[in-house]
Amino acid sequence: MSKGDLSLAEARRIALAAQGFADPAPGGTVDRRLLRRVFDRVGAIQIDSVNVVVRSHYLPAFSRLGEYDPALLERAAYGRERRLFEYWGHEASLLPLELHPYLRWRMERARRGLGTWGRIAQIVGSQPEELKRLRAVIAERGPLSASQFEGARGKGSWWGWSDVKIGLEALFWCGEITTAYRKGFERVYDLPERVLPRVVVDAPTPVESDAQRELVRIAAHALGIAAERDLRDYFRLDLLDARARVAELVEAGELQRVAVEGLRGDRYLARGARLPRTIGARALLSPFDSLIWERSRTRELFEFDFRLEIYTPQHKRVHGYYVLPFLLGERLVARVDLKHDRAAGTLRAHAVHVESGADRRAVTAALRVELGRMAEWLGAARVALPRR
């Protein structure tokens, strides 16, 4: 290989180190500082409503730190001294407050009906007075959830949303309202100036290109090594925007073009990215973990073809309903279809599929330990494994 080239194993270790999987396990109680370190590394944690094991946004910290008090995350996201806010980062995400100014360009585009879902864009363009009314109600009475508005009840889920629910979602996209806290899993909205710290609200708004460049920079450090496609996907940037920002960071020397043995096309190495000699990780990953967001990257780097089968009819599922990849060392070695049976106090592994070429005995032994650790964290009294 020529100078600057990397083996696939080296690229994997760079990626895992960037996401925090090369860090030593905490020696004691996980505190706010350690939780903050996770967010500083990954830049965004995806929120998802599925609660088969635990809400997805609680899992990335557990995967990287082990047992921690979920109340730490609640306080960081919704407490008096909050460190996080909700907005569209990758998908719906928890993001460090420092990123708020760098996402205002997305809010401004949404106000013009750009870069958002069709029904959001439609109501922004056709019902500005209704949006003003909804915001005024929150300004007068907030914080409020969608269910507290008259006429908020729709039929079914997304496609059955009422105009009120869509209007509130549009205001959220536009940055006119934000999440004050959640009641159950339902967002409770308020005005940003009453929720976010004054220093964040008053922070200057960067020009669009500078903000996007910062998001690509954060993505690059969170990924360690990545294709242009991966850098674009991390914060869901448009193709032309991402391409221009990547080129600028290459020109500035913050990204280095490299080749990875066996992979087609350029990869970009973040300045300062670590290459550990070994990785000793052991972690069950959320299906929405940022390590595996970009499925093509997961397939190429880890030789692990992963897809979520929640929306696949049961008889067509290959690996299960809610499958967590299992990371051991520097490889994704198994898929575990998990459910937290709260009524029975049991963490149930409905199925375990060990990857071809992995040492089944070693994987099973390590997985037992990790499932036991997760059960203890979740408050489950026992772990139930499949017979095979």
Side-chain angles (χ1 to χ4, degrees):
M1 292 185 294
S2 62
K3 185 177 180 181
D5 286 354
L6 295 164
S7 70
L8 189 60
E10 287 172 329
R12 269 198 302 268
R13 294 201 296 275
I14 291 170
L16 288 165
Q19 285 278 310
F21 289 106
D23 295 348
T29 303
V30 174
D31 57 14
R32 289 186 301 173
R33 177 185 61 85
L34 288 171
L35 183 64
R36 178 62 185 260
R37 189 174 72 183
V38 171
F39 275 90
D40 287 344
R41 284 197 180 280
V42 305
I45 284 180
Q46 186 173 340
I47 299 170
D48 190 79
S49 62
V50 177
N51 197 20
V52 175
V53 178
V54 66
R55 301 282 188 202
S56 178
H57 53 286
Y58 294 105
L59 276 169
F62 172 75
S63 300
R64 290 158 178 80
L65 301 174
E67 293 178 54
Y68 76 102
D69 184 355
L72 276 177
L73 184 59
E74 291 289 327
R75 289 195 291 271
Y78 311 115
R80 289 181 179 273
E81 297 182 7
R82 71 178 65 215
R83 299 283 186 174
L84 309 171
F85 74 106
E86 285 190 24
Y87 190 60
W88 293 99
H90 180 72
E91 293 287 337
S93 303
L94 283 171
L95 303 142
L97 284 169
E98 294 79 7
L99 265 63
H100 189 274
Y102 298 101
L103 287 162
R104 290 179 190 160
W105 64 271
R106 179 166 286 166
M107 299 172 188
E108 176 56 35
R109 284 191 182 183
R111 293 183 192 114
R112 292 182 278 131
L114 302 175
T116 184
W117 299 328
R119 294 189 70 188
I120 300 293
Q122 183 180 20
I123 204 166
V124 166
S126 64
Q127 301 186 47
E129 292 306 315
E130 173 63 5
L131 297 186
K132 288 180 183 177
R133 183 189 73 82
L134 293 172
R135 190 184 187 281
V137 171
I138 290 174
E140 179 182 351
R141 296 173 49 204
L144 293 171
S145 64
S147 62
Q148 290 176 283
F149 280 80
E150 183 178 352
R153 186 178 297 276
K155 297 178 181 179
S157 55
W158 165 248
W159 296 113
W161 279 9
S162 67
D163 284 350
V164 167
K165 176 64 176 169
I166 298 169
L168 291 169
E169 190 65 25
L171 288 170
F172 181 81
W173 266 98
C174 296
E176 297 292 329
I177 58 176
T178 191
T179 307
Y181 57 91
R182 283 182 180 259
K183 185 169 58 179
F185 193 68
E186 186 180 21
R187 281 199 195 114
V188 178
Y189 299 103
D190 206 346
L191 304 183
E193 56 267 32
R194 296 201 297 229
V195 171
L196 305 179
R198 193 77 246 167
V199 67
V200 173
V201 174
D202 292 342
T205 300
V207 299
E208 189 172 282
S209 58
D210 289 345
Q212 292 170 352
R213 193 179 307 112
E214 179 63 15
L215 294 178
V216 173
R217 184 181 291 115
I218 292 167
H221 285 283
L223 293 169
I225 186 168
E228 182 188 278
R229 165 205 67 207
D230 312 326
L231 296 169
R232 180 174 76 245
D233 177 72
Y234 209 83
F235 287 104
R236 295 293 168 88
L237 301 177
D238 291 345
L239 173 63
L240 294 181
D241 291 332
R243 184 163 293 170
R245 307 294 84 83
V246 168
E248 291 160 4
L249 290 172
V250 170
E251 179 68 23
E254 295 190 52
L255 294 178
Q256 177 189 352
R257 280 194 186 91
V258 295
V260 175
E261 188 178 22
L263 302 186
R264 296 175 61 185
D266 289 333
R267 295 298 184 275
Y268 296 90
L269 182 67
R271 186 165 64 190
R274 295 167 56 208
L275 173 52
R277 294 180 65 181
T278 60
I279 298 281
R282 189 192 66 213
L284 285 160
L285 303 178
S286 162
F288 305 101
D289 194 290
S290 50
L291 179 70
I292 56 172
W293 270 345
E294 221 301 327
R295 303 310 196 203
S296 297
R297 179 176 189 261
T298 304
R299 184 170 57 251
E300 292 169 351
L301 272 187
F302 295 95
E303 300 170 295
F304 190 86
D305 196 359
F306 181 67
R307 68 187 185 94
L308 194 61
E309 296 182 284
I310 287 176
Y311 304 109
T312 302
Q314 184 173 357
H315 69 281
K316 293 184 178 181
R317 290 179 195 141
V318 176
H319 297 110
Y321 178 73
Y322 197 73
V323 172
L324 278 66
F326 182 44
L327 172 68
L328 186 61
E330 63 181 56
R331 303 299 298 266
L332 295 171
V333 295
R335 306 157 197 260
V336 188
D337 183 16
L338 270 186
K339 177 181 174 62
H340 181 197
D341 186 342
R342 295 165 179 84
T346 302
L347 182 62
R348 299 189 186 279
H350 294 304
V352 176
H353 294 87
V354 178
E355 292 294 287
S356 175
D359 183 332
R360 183 174 296 273
R361 184 170 296 180
V363 170
T364 302
L367 181 58
R368 284 180 183 274
V369 174
E370 195 60 22
L371 287 170
R373 187 171 72 145
M374 177 176 279
E376 187 173 348
W377 175 58
L378 294 173
R382 63 190 65 84
V383 174
L385 292 168
R387 292 182 181 179
R388 294 184 61 191

